[in-house]
Amino acid sequence: MNSAAQASYTLGELAERIEARLVGDANLRVSGLATLTDAGPGDLAFLANRAYLKYLADTRASAVLVHPAHGEACPCPRLELENPYLGYARLSHLFDPLANQPSRGVHPAATVSPQASLGAHVEVGANCVIEAGVEIADDCVIGAGSFIGADTRIGRGSRLHANVTLYHGVTVGERAILHSGCVIGGDGFGFAHDGQRWEKIAQLGGVTLGDDVEVGSCSSIDRGALGDTVIGNGVKIDSQVQIAHNVQIGDHSALAGCVGIAGSTKVGRHCLLGGGVGLSGHLTLADGVQITGMSLVTNSILEPGVYSSGTGSMSNSQWRKNAVRFKQLDEIAKRLTRLERDMRDS
């Protein structure tokens, strides 16, 4: 059986898959995807950003996926689509070497509890540990070295890459992708202070991930203190993201790298959080909120829109001057208030 990496498709087949308009030979075969500058014979390239239009005329690709507005400038057969980047995303799965690999079953070096339930065509890699009460649905892949704690459930078609850790009582929906080093269901940061030292609060909730969720490498999603931490359907989480206990994230939101969300904050549906964004605890973000990179959010946002905080980069000398002025703002505001009052009274 050929792997996905060796597969080839006719332009006619690809056009039908993404409902694109084909201009050229429908029987021309391509066996890979590449950028305009790197493509060679046998490759399908794509143009999704006008900044790269200058490379179109000289591409060596056998065919190009383009917007109809750029079709006439294409020197080779083409697939025309209103959203070529979306078309590229859908076609990329056809050439993924991990796709369509036959299941290799349970590796002899894996430890699987007899009280665990594994569905059909489940692959379990070397040195995995699967505890009692675990339920893994059909067509799942559990990468080498992964740990799945007691009473955890994993939905159909999900993939855990190597060295993923799922604590006890975690629920993962269908078609999830969890990348190496991510930890789902660790204890939330819950402590009570007696005036001298910290007393740990047992974290009694769990974590629920919806369908089609992706979690990047080395990201952490903490279990709830009482109820579950809940990640909605279609949520995409980048690498090195920290999600604290009892956070709720609505369907189809996306979090870029190094986002940090404090406990019990609720993020709406279709929200976008840029890299390094920090959300304080117990906040609410409405549906459709976009936070630009490195922003700190300390109050709830109840209307959709784009929000930012902080200052853009500048020379250090200019920043030092501004830092002094920032410290003077309170006094300036008080002086302005007095001046306005004096003007009213005069």
Side-chain angles (χ1 to χ4, degrees), residues 74-319:
C74 184
C76 57
R78 62 188 185 269
L79 301 177
E80 294 185 353
L81 198 63
E82 288 294 326
N83 189 339
Y85 194 68
L86 180 60
Y88 154 68
R90 290 172 174 168
L91 292 181
S92 67
H93 297 282
L94 301 178
F95 302 96
D96 183 357
L98 293 179
N100 303 318
Q101 288 185 345
S103 172
R104 290 172 286 189
V106 178
H107 194 281
T111 300
V112 180
S113 168
Q115 283 78 50
S117 173
L118 274 60
H121 312 299
V122 169
E123 178 178 326
V124 180
N127 301 318
C128 288
V129 175
I130 299 176
E131 293 192 329
V134 169
E135 298 179 11
I136 302 177
D138 298 349
D139 304 315
C140 288
V141 176
I142 312 300
S146 293
F147 172 85
I148 303 176
D151 302 318
T152 285
R153 293 178 293 170
I154 302 176
R156 180 171 185 156
S158 291
R159 175 183 289 271
L160 279 60
H161 289 274
N163 300 311
V164 168
T165 298
L166 303 184
Y167 279 60
H168 61 282
V170 170
T171 298
V172 177
E174 297 185 353
R175 300 173 301 279
I177 301 174
L178 307 182
H179 289 277
S180 294
C182 71
V183 179
I184 313 297
D187 279 357
F189 194 66
F191 300 89
H193 200 265
D194 67 2
Q196 296 295 325
R197 59 182 185 176
W198 295 101
E199 182 79 18
K200 183 176 177 60
I201 300 171
Q203 303 293 287
L204 306 180
V207 176
T208 298
L209 306 185
D211 296 337
D212 302 300
V213 168
E214 183 159 351
V215 181
S217 59
C218 299
S219 288
S220 298
I221 303 176
D222 293 344
R223 68 191 314 105
L226 291 173
D228 285 357
T229 301
V230 179
I231 310 299
N233 295 326
V235 170
K236 309 303 181 186
I237 299 170
D238 199 358
S239 300
Q240 301 183 50
V241 169
Q242 162 64 23
I243 298 175
H245 57 192
N246 297 107
V247 167
Q248 298 179 24
I249 299 180
D251 295 348
H252 307 295
S253 289
L255 287 60
C258 299
V259 164
I261 304 179
S264 300
T265 282
K266 298 180 180 180
V267 177
R269 302 171 72 246
H270 300 284
C271 290
L272 303 175
L273 305 185
V277 164
L279 304 183
S280 297
H282 303 276
L283 304 183
T284 297
L285 268 60
D287 296 346
V289 167
Q290 180 177 345
I291 310 294
T292 60
M294 302 300 293
S295 295
L296 174 62
V297 180
T298 57
N299 295 291
S300 293
I301 298 175
L302 304 181
E303 296 291 337
V306 181
Y307 296 82
S308 302
S309 76
T311 60
S313 62
M314 62 192 76
S315 69
N316 181 256
S317 60
Q318 184 64 47
W319 180 87

Side-chain angles (χ1 to χ4, degrees), residues 17-85:
R17 279 181 178 267
I18 61 174
E19 299 181 342
R21 176 174 177 261
L22 170 62
V23 179
D25 182 3
N27 295 316
L28 178 67
R29 302 193 74 86
V30 294
S31 55
L33 291 175
T35 64
L36 287 170
T37 54
D38 293 337
D43 289 331
L44 173 68
F46 68 98
L47 175 62
N49 187 324
R50 289 182 58 89
Y52 298 97
L53 182 59
K54 58 189 176 183
Y55 302 118
L56 180 59
D58 295 326
T59 186
R60 297 172 57 244
S62 291
V64 181
L65 175 61
V66 297
H67 188 277
H70 303 135
E72 293 300 323
C74 184
C76 57
R78 62 188 185 269
L79 301 177
E80 294 185 353
L81 198 63
E82 288 294 326
N83 189 339
Y85 194 68

Side-chain angles (χ1 to χ4, degrees), residues 321-339:
K321 293 177 183 177
N322 288 338
V324 172
R325 294 187 175 104
F326 293 155
K327 294 179 181 179
Q328 297 170 341
L329 287 178
D330 183 60
E331 179 58 31
I332 292 173
K334 291 177 180 177
R335 290 167 57 189
L336 179 60
T337 299
R338 289 195 298 268
L339 179 60

